[in-house]
């Protein structure tokens, strides 16, 4: 079993910063891509940022404001969010592609989400 636990969400004023963390635990042989998605009320879940190996990918709406990073020793991915805007308000979900053993294909796992609210 694999679990993803997010932390760091909360209420912040526009222009402020938050740092999200997501720790992956359980039976882990390796983790491929790790990422953050978000879902605002009435909208579809969208990719915010992802990191795989040394490569990162960001949604256009967060480029220059958000930074994704990972600590492979801790199986943890972070999302540093600066210059937050009210339109960043959403539930943020962690995602990880985890291999349980050398013989099994990677499986996609999701965290339960953490709420980020940006007030104007």
């Amino acid at each position: 079993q694999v679990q993803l636990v997010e932390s760091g969400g909360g209420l912040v004023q526009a222009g402020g910063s938050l740092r999200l963390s997501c720790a992956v635990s359980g039976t882990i042989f390796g983790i491929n891509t790790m990422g953050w998605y978000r879902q605002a009320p009435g909208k579809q879940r969208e990719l915010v940022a992802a990191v795989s190996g040394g490569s990162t990918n960001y949604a256009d709406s967060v480029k220059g404001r958000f930074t994704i990073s990972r600590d492979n020793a801790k199986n943890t991915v972070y999302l540093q969010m600066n210059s937050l805007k009210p339109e960043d308000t959403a539930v943020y979900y962690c995602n990880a592609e985890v291999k349980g053993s050398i013989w099994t294909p990677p499986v996609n796992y999701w965290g339960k989400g953490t709420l980020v609210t940006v007030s104007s």
Side-chain angles (χ1 to χ4, degrees), residues 22 24 31-36 49-51 68 70 75-77 95-96:
C22 172
V24 184
I31 303 176
N32 296 340
T33 303
M34 302 182 82
W36 289 94
V51 55
I68 190 170
R70 64 191 283 178
N75 292 328
T76 299
V77 63
N95 175 269

Side-chain angles (χ1 to χ4, degrees), residues 17-99:
S17 299
L18 282 175
R19 188 191 194 210
L20 305 183
S21 300
C22 172
V24 184
S25 63
T27 303
I28 301 169
F29 173 77
I31 303 176
N32 296 340
T33 303
M34 302 182 82
W36 289 94
Y37 290 71
R38 67 186 180 187
Q39 188 167 18
K43 295 188 176 181
Q44 289 188 331
R45 189 174 298 189
E46 63 175 359
L47 173 68
V48 176
V51 55
S52 179
S55 299
T56 57
N57 182 38
Y58 294 93
D60 288 342
S61 59
V62 306
K63 283 181 181 176
R65 300 188 297 123
F66 292 10
T67 302
I68 190 170
S69 61
R70 64 191 283 178
D71 185 333
N72 292 327
K74 295 181 179 180
N75 292 328
T76 299
V77 63
Y78 305 95
L79 185 68
Q80 177 66 44
M81 305 185 293
N82 299 328
S83 302
L84 282 160
K85 304 175 180 180
E87 50 263 44
D88 294 318
T89 295
V91 177
Y92 284 70
Y93 296 91
C94 176
N95 175 269
E97 194 178 57
V98 180
K99 284 181 64 68

